Amino acid sequence: MSTSVLSPERRAALSRRSLWLAYATAGYNLLEGLVAIAAGAAASSTALIGFGLDSFVEVSSAAVLIWQFRSRVPENRERLALRLIGVSFFALAAWVTFDALRSLLAGGDADPSPVGIGLAVASLLVMPLLVRAKRRTGRELGSATVMADSTQTLLCTYLSAVLLAGLVLNAVWGWSWADPIAALVIAGVAVKEGVEAWRGEHCDDCAPLPAAAGPGSTCADSCCSDGKA
């Protein structure tokens, strides 16, 4: 990312892009959540139901971005928006932990779910595209909330992979424990990201530097590097 100051026109364009990415995320995850819960209820799959509820957590994160970027001065809402996204990380971690422990203790008797497998595959195709678009936009705009939201979407991508592995292993070999074990690892990552978002550590130095900073000033945060996707 260039250290030059963004023009008002470019900043406005990036803000609009951030808003539309948030709308796209909310719309997809709302549909994903409804399908996952319906399929989970039909197959008695706690993993699918948990995945569906996680999708609604992702909708809440997108809603925070929509609230921020519908403001005439989005930067004024950045700190509060970042903390709200941090809360969504904690909610995600809490639900995934609860659901994983419940699955481990109760045992899994879920039926095979072709719909659930198809949904997980679709999410593995869609989510990385959203993550990439959000990170490119967040870096150029210098928005910590867009970067934090991209991490939330990335975690949902991992959960999609976990769900797919769990559904396939359960359908083929009956390994009902594989999904909740991996989900607990992702819950730990979600807690870490939630703490960083709450403290404002997501790309805190990533904003374009003012001209007064001088030509020798550089971006101090690793997320500003174009090499990190």
Coordinates of all heavy atoms in Angstrom, one line a residue, residues 6 9-27 58-59 61-71 74-75 78 81 85 130-150 153:
L6 N -4.8 9.3 0.6 CA -5.8 9.0 -0.4 C -6.6 10.3 -0.8 O -6.9 11.1 0.1 CB -6.8 8.0 0.1 CG -6.3 6.5 0.3 CD1 -7.4 5.7 1.0 CD2 -5.9 5.9 -1.0
E9 N -11.9 11.5 -3.4 CA -12.7 10.6 -4.3 C -12.4 9.2 -4.1 O -13.3 8.3 -4.2 CB -12.4 11.1 -5.8 CG -12.9 12.5 -6.1 CD -12.0 13.6 -5.6 OE1 -10.9 13.2 -5.2 OE2 -12.4 14.7 -5.7
R10 N -11.1 8.8 -4.0 CA -10.7 7.4 -3.8 C -11.2 6.9 -2.5 O -11.6 5.8 -2.4 CB -9.2 7.3 -3.9 CG -8.6 5.9 -3.8 CD -9.2 5.0 -4.9 NE -8.7 3.6 -4.8 CZ -9.2 2.6 -5.5 NH1 -10.3 2.8 -6.2 NH2 -8.7 1.4 -5.3
R11 N -11.1 7.7 -1.5 CA -11.5 7.3 -0.1 C -13.0 7.0 -0.2 O -13.5 6.0 0.4 CB -11.2 8.3 0.9 CG -11.7 8.0 2.3 CD -11.1 8.9 3.3 NE -9.7 8.8 3.4 CZ -9.0 7.9 4.2 NH1 -9.7 7.0 4.8 NH2 -7.7 7.9 4.2
A12 N -13.8 7.9 -0.9 CA -15.2 7.7 -1.0 C -15.6 6.4 -1.7 O -16.5 5.6 -1.4 CB -15.9 8.9 -1.7
A13 N -14.8 6.1 -2.8 CA -15.0 4.9 -3.6 C -14.7 3.7 -2.8 O -15.4 2.7 -2.8 CB -14.1 4.9 -4.8
L14 N -13.6 3.7 -2.0 CA -13.3 2.5 -1.1 C -14.3 2.3 0.0 O -14.6 1.2 0.3 CB -11.9 2.7 -0.5 CG -10.7 2.6 -1.5 CD1 -9.4 3.1 -0.9 CD2 -10.6 1.2 -2.0
S15 N -14.8 3.4 0.5 CA -15.9 3.3 1.5 C -17.1 2.7 0.9 O -17.8 1.8 1.6 CB -16.2 4.7 2.1 OG -15.1 5.2 2.8
R16 N -17.5 3.1 -0.3 CA -18.7 2.4 -0.9 C -18.4 1.0 -1.2 O -19.3 0.1 -1.0 CB -19.0 3.2 -2.3 CG -19.6 4.5 -2.1 CD -20.2 5.0 -3.4 NE -19.1 5.2 -4.5 CZ -18.4 6.3 -4.7 NH1 -18.6 7.3 -3.9 NH2 -17.5 6.3 -5.6
R17 N -17.2 0.6 -1.6 CA -16.8 -0.8 -1.8 C -16.9 -1.6 -0.5 O -17.5 -2.7 -0.5 CB -15.4 -0.9 -2.4 CG -15.1 -2.4 -2.8 CD -13.6 -2.5 -3.1 NE -13.2 -1.7 -4.2 CZ -11.9 -1.5 -4.6 NH1 -11.0 -2.1 -3.9 NH2 -11.6 -0.8 -5.6
S18 N -16.5 -1.0 0.6 CA -16.5 -1.7 1.9 C -18.0 -1.9 2.3 O -18.4 -3.0 2.8 CB -15.9 -0.8 3.0 OG -14.5 -0.6 2.7
L19 N -18.8 -0.9 2.0 CA -20.3 -1.1 2.3 C -20.9 -2.2 1.5 O -21.6 -3.0 2.0 CB -21.0 0.3 2.0 CG -22.5 0.4 2.4 CD1 -22.7 0.1 3.9 CD2 -23.0 1.7 2.0
W20 N -20.6 -2.2 0.2 CA -21.2 -3.3 -0.7 C -20.7 -4.7 -0.3 O -21.4 -5.7 -0.4 CB -21.0 -2.9 -2.1 CG -21.9 -1.9 -2.6 CD1 -21.6 -0.6 -3.0 CD2 -23.4 -2.0 -2.7 NE1 -22.8 0.1 -3.3 CE2 -23.9 -0.7 -3.2 CE3 -24.3 -3.0 -2.5 CZ2 -25.2 -0.5 -3.4 CZ3 -25.6 -2.8 -2.7 CH2 -26.1 -1.5 -3.2
L21 N -19.4 -4.7 0.1 CA -18.9 -6.0 0.5 C -19.6 -6.5 1.8 O -19.8 -7.7 2.0 CB -17.4 -5.9 0.8 CG -16.5 -5.9 -0.5 CD1 -15.0 -5.5 -0.1 CD2 -16.5 -7.2 -1.2
A22 N -19.9 -5.5 2.7 CA -20.6 -5.9 3.9 C -22.0 -6.4 3.5 O -22.5 -7.3 4.1 CB -20.7 -4.7 4.8
Y23 N -22.7 -5.7 2.6 CA -24.0 -6.2 2.2 C -24.0 -7.6 1.6 O -24.8 -8.4 1.8 CB -24.6 -5.2 1.1 CG -25.2 -3.9 1.7 CD1 -24.8 -2.7 1.2 CD2 -26.2 -4.0 2.7 CE1 -25.4 -1.5 1.7 CE2 -26.8 -2.8 3.2 CZ -26.4 -1.6 2.7 OH -26.9 -0.5 3.2
A24 N -22.9 -7.8 0.7 CA -22.8 -9.1 0.1 C -22.6 -10.2 1.2 O -23.1 -11.3 1.1 CB -21.6 -9.1 -0.9
T25 N -21.7 -9.9 2.1 CA -21.4 -10.8 3.2 C -22.7 -11.1 4.0 O -23.0 -12.3 4.3 CB -20.3 -10.3 4.1 OG1 -19.1 -10.0 3.4 CG2 -20.0 -11.3 5.3
A26 N -23.4 -10.1 4.4 CA -24.6 -10.3 5.2 C -25.7 -11.1 4.4 O -26.3 -12.0 5.0 CB -25.2 -8.9 5.6
G27 N -25.8 -10.8 3.1 CA -26.8 -11.5 2.3 C -26.5 -13.0 2.2 O -27.3 -13.9 2.4
E58 N -21.6 -13.9 11.7 CA -21.0 -13.2 10.6 C -21.8 -12.1 10.1 O -21.4 -11.1 9.7 CB -20.6 -14.2 9.5 CG -20.1 -13.6 8.3 CD -18.7 -13.1 8.4 OE1 -18.1 -13.3 9.5 OE2 -18.2 -12.4 7.5
V59 N -23.2 -12.3 10.1 CA -24.1 -11.3 9.7 C -24.0 -10.1 10.6 O -24.0 -8.9 10.2 CB -25.5 -11.8 9.6 CG1 -26.5 -10.7 9.4 CG2 -25.7 -12.8 8.5
S61 N -21.3 -9.1 12.2 CA -20.1 -8.4 12.0 C -20.3 -7.5 10.7 O -19.8 -6.4 10.7 CB -19.0 -9.4 11.7 OG -17.8 -8.8 11.4
A62 N -20.9 -8.1 9.7 CA -21.2 -7.3 8.5 C -22.1 -6.1 8.8 O -21.9 -5.0 8.3 CB -21.8 -8.2 7.4
A63 N -23.1 -6.3 9.7 CA -24.0 -5.2 10.1 C -23.2 -4.1 10.7 O -23.6 -2.9 10.6 CB -25.1 -5.8 11.0
V64 N -22.2 -4.4 11.5 CA -21.4 -3.4 12.1 C -20.7 -2.5 11.1 O -20.7 -1.3 11.1 CB -20.3 -4.0 13.1 CG1 -19.3 -2.9 13.5 CG2 -21.0 -4.6 14.3
L65 N -20.2 -3.2 10.0 CA -19.5 -2.4 8.9 C -20.5 -1.6 8.2 O -20.2 -0.4 7.8 CB -18.9 -3.4 8.0 CG -17.4 -3.8 8.3 CD1 -16.8 -4.6 7.1 CD2 -16.5 -2.7 8.6
I66 N -21.7 -2.1 8.0 CA -22.8 -1.3 7.3 C -23.1 -0.1 8.1 O -23.2 1.0 7.6 CB -24.0 -2.2 7.1 CG1 -23.7 -3.3 6.0 CG2 -25.2 -1.3 6.6 CD1 -24.8 -4.3 5.9
W67 N -23.2 -0.3 9.4 CA -23.5 0.9 10.3 C -22.4 1.9 10.2 O -22.6 3.1 10.2 CB -23.7 0.4 11.8 CG -23.7 1.5 12.8 CD1 -24.7 2.3 13.1 CD2 -22.6 1.8 13.6 NE1 -24.3 3.2 14.1 CE2 -23.0 2.9 14.5 CE3 -21.3 1.3 13.8 CZ2 -22.2 3.5 15.4 CZ3 -20.5 1.9 14.8 CH2 -20.9 3.0 15.6
Q68 N -21.1 1.4 10.2 CA -20.0 2.4 10.2 C -20.0 3.1 8.9 O -19.8 4.4 8.9 CB -18.7 1.6 10.4 CG -17.5 2.6 10.3 CD -16.1 1.9 10.4 OE1 -16.1 0.7 10.5 NE2 -15.1 2.7 10.2
F69 N -20.1 2.4 7.7 CA -19.8 3.1 6.5 C -21.1 3.8 5.9 O -21.0 4.4 4.8 CB -19.2 2.1 5.5 CG -17.8 1.8 5.7 CD1 -17.4 0.7 6.5 CD2 -16.8 2.7 5.3 CE1 -16.0 0.5 6.8 CE2 -15.5 2.5 5.5 CZ -15.1 1.4 6.3
R70 N -22.2 3.7 6.6 CA -23.3 4.5 6.2 C -23.2 5.9 6.8 O -24.0 6.8 6.5 CB -24.6 3.8 6.6 CG -25.0 2.7 5.6 CD -26.4 2.1 6.0 NE -27.4 3.1 5.8 CZ -28.1 3.3 4.7 NH1 -27.7 2.6 3.6 NH2 -29.0 4.2 4.6
S71 N -22.2 6.1 7.7 CA -22.0 7.4 8.3 C -21.3 8.3 7.3 O -20.5 7.8 6.4 CB -21.1 7.2 9.5 OG -20.6 8.5 10.0
P74 N -17.0 7.8 8.3 CA -16.9 6.5 8.8 C -15.8 6.4 9.9 O -15.9 5.6 10.8 CB -16.6 5.6 7.6 CG -17.1 6.4 6.4 CD -17.0 7.8 6.8
E75 N -14.7 7.2 9.7 CA -13.6 7.1 10.6 C -14.0 7.4 12.1 O -13.4 6.9 13.0 CB -12.5 8.1 10.2 CG -11.8 7.7 8.9 CD -12.7 8.2 7.7 OE1 -13.7 8.9 7.9 OE2 -12.3 7.8 6.5
E78 N -15.0 4.2 13.9 CA -14.0 3.1 13.7 C -13.8 2.4 15.1 O -13.9 1.2 15.2 CB -12.7 3.6 13.2 CG -11.7 2.5 13.1 CD -11.3 2.2 11.6 OE1 -12.2 2.1 10.8 OE2 -10.1 2.0 11.4
A81 N -16.9 0.5 16.3 CA -17.2 -0.6 15.3 C -16.2 -1.7 15.6 O -16.6 -2.9 15.5 CB -17.1 -0.1 13.9
I85 N -17.1 -5.6 16.6 CA -16.6 -6.8 15.9 C -15.9 -7.7 16.8 O -16.0 -8.9 16.7 CB -15.7 -6.4 14.7 CG1 -16.6 -5.7 13.6 CG2 -15.0 -7.6 14.1 CD1 -15.8 -5.2 12.4
L130 N -14.4 -13.2 -0.8 CA -14.8 -12.0 0.1 C -13.6 -11.6 0.9 O -13.4 -10.4 1.1 CB -16.0 -12.4 0.9 CG -17.4 -12.5 0.2 CD1 -18.4 -13.1 1.2 CD2 -17.8 -11.1 -0.3
V131 N -12.9 -12.6 1.5 CA -11.8 -12.2 2.3 C -10.7 -11.4 1.5 O -10.2 -10.4 2.0 CB -11.1 -13.5 2.9 CG1 -9.8 -13.2 3.6 CG2 -12.0 -14.2 3.9
R132 N -10.4 -11.9 0.3 CA -9.4 -11.2 -0.5 C -9.9 -9.8 -0.8 O -9.1 -8.8 -0.7 CB -9.1 -12.0 -1.8 CG -8.1 -11.4 -2.6 CD -7.7 -12.3 -3.8 NE -6.7 -11.7 -4.6 CZ -5.4 -11.8 -4.4 NH1 -5.0 -12.3 -3.3 NH2 -4.5 -11.2 -5.2
A133 N -11.1 -9.6 -1.2 CA -11.6 -8.3 -1.6 C -11.6 -7.4 -0.3 O -11.2 -6.2 -0.5 CB -13.0 -8.4 -2.1
K134 N -12.0 -7.9 0.8 CA -12.0 -7.0 2.0 C -10.6 -6.6 2.4 O -10.4 -5.5 2.8 CB -12.7 -7.8 3.2 CG -14.2 -8.0 3.0 CD -14.8 -8.8 4.2 CE -16.3 -9.0 4.0 NZ -16.8 -9.8 5.2
R135 N -9.7 -7.5 2.3 CA -8.3 -7.2 2.8 C -7.7 -6.2 1.8 O -7.0 -5.3 2.3 CB -7.5 -8.5 2.9 CG -7.9 -9.3 4.1 CD -6.9 -10.3 4.5 NE -7.3 -10.9 5.8 CZ -6.6 -11.8 6.5 NH1 -5.5 -12.2 6.0 NH2 -7.0 -12.2 7.6
R136 N -7.9 -6.3 0.6 CA -7.3 -5.4 -0.4 C -7.9 -4.0 -0.1 O -7.2 -3.0 -0.1 CB -7.6 -5.8 -1.8 CG -6.8 -7.0 -2.2 CD -7.0 -7.4 -3.7 NE -6.6 -6.4 -4.6 CZ -6.7 -6.5 -5.9 NH1 -7.2 -7.5 -6.4 NH2 -6.2 -5.5 -6.7
T137 N -9.2 -4.0 0.1 CA -9.9 -2.7 0.4 C -9.5 -2.1 1.7 O -9.2 -0.9 1.8 CB -11.5 -2.9 0.3 OG1 -11.8 -3.4 -0.9 CG2 -12.2 -1.6 0.6
G138 N -9.4 -3.0 2.7 CA -9.1 -2.5 4.1 C -7.7 -1.9 4.1 O -7.4 -0.9 4.8
R139 N -6.7 -2.6 3.4 CA -5.3 -2.1 3.4 C -5.3 -0.7 2.8 O -4.6 0.2 3.3 CB -4.4 -3.0 2.7 CG -4.2 -4.3 3.5 CD -3.0 -5.1 2.8 NE -2.9 -6.4 3.4 CZ -3.3 -7.5 2.7 NH1 -3.8 -7.4 1.5 NH2 -3.2 -8.7 3.2
E140 N -5.9 -0.6 1.6 CA -5.8 0.7 0.9 C -6.5 1.8 1.6 O -6.1 3.0 1.7 CB -6.3 0.6 -0.5 CG -6.1 1.8 -1.4 CD -6.6 1.7 -2.8 OE1 -7.0 0.6 -3.2 OE2 -6.5 2.7 -3.5
L141 N -7.7 1.5 2.2 CA -8.5 2.5 2.9 C -7.9 2.8 4.3 O -8.1 3.9 4.8 CB -9.9 2.0 3.1 CG -10.9 2.9 3.7 CD1 -11.1 4.2 2.9 CD2 -12.3 2.2 3.9
G142 N -7.1 1.9 4.8 CA -6.5 2.1 6.2 C -7.6 1.8 7.2 O -7.5 2.5 8.3
S143 N -8.5 0.9 7.0 CA -9.6 0.7 8.0 C -9.3 -0.6 8.8 O -9.3 -1.7 8.2 CB -10.9 0.5 7.2 OG -11.9 0.1 8.1
A144 N -9.2 -0.4 10.1 CA -9.0 -1.6 11.0 C -10.3 -2.4 11.0 O -10.2 -3.6 11.2 CB -8.6 -1.1 12.4
T145 N -11.4 -1.8 10.9 CA -12.7 -2.6 11.0 C -12.8 -3.5 9.8 O -13.3 -4.6 9.9 CB -13.9 -1.6 11.2 OG1 -13.8 -0.6 10.2 CG2 -13.9 -1.1 12.6
V146 N -12.5 -3.0 8.6 CA -12.6 -3.8 7.4 C -11.7 -5.0 7.5 O -12.0 -6.1 7.2 CB -12.3 -3.0 6.2 CG1 -12.3 -3.9 4.9 CG2 -13.4 -1.9 6.0
M147 N -10.4 -4.7 8.1 CA -9.5 -5.8 8.2 C -9.9 -6.8 9.3 O -9.8 -8.0 9.1 CB -8.1 -5.2 8.6 CG -7.4 -4.4 7.5 SD -7.1 -5.3 6.0 CE -5.9 -6.5 6.6
A148 N -10.5 -6.3 10.4 CA -11.0 -7.2 11.4 C -12.2 -8.1 10.9 O -12.3 -9.3 11.1 CB -11.5 -6.4 12.6
D149 N -13.1 -7.4 10.1 CA -14.2 -8.2 9.5 C -13.7 -9.2 8.5 O -14.3 -10.3 8.4 CB -15.1 -7.2 8.8 CG -16.4 -7.9 8.2 OD1 -17.1 -8.5 9.0 OD2 -16.6 -7.8 7.0
S150 N -12.6 -8.9 7.8 CA -12.1 -9.9 6.9 C -11.5 -11.1 7.6 O -11.6 -12.3 7.1 CB -10.9 -9.3 6.0 OG -9.7 -9.2 6.8
T153 N -14.5 -13.2 8.5 CA -14.9 -14.0 7.3 C -13.9 -15.2 7.1 O -14.3 -16.3 6.7 CB -14.9 -13.1 6.0 OG1 -15.8 -12.0 6.3 CG2 -15.5 -13.9 4.8

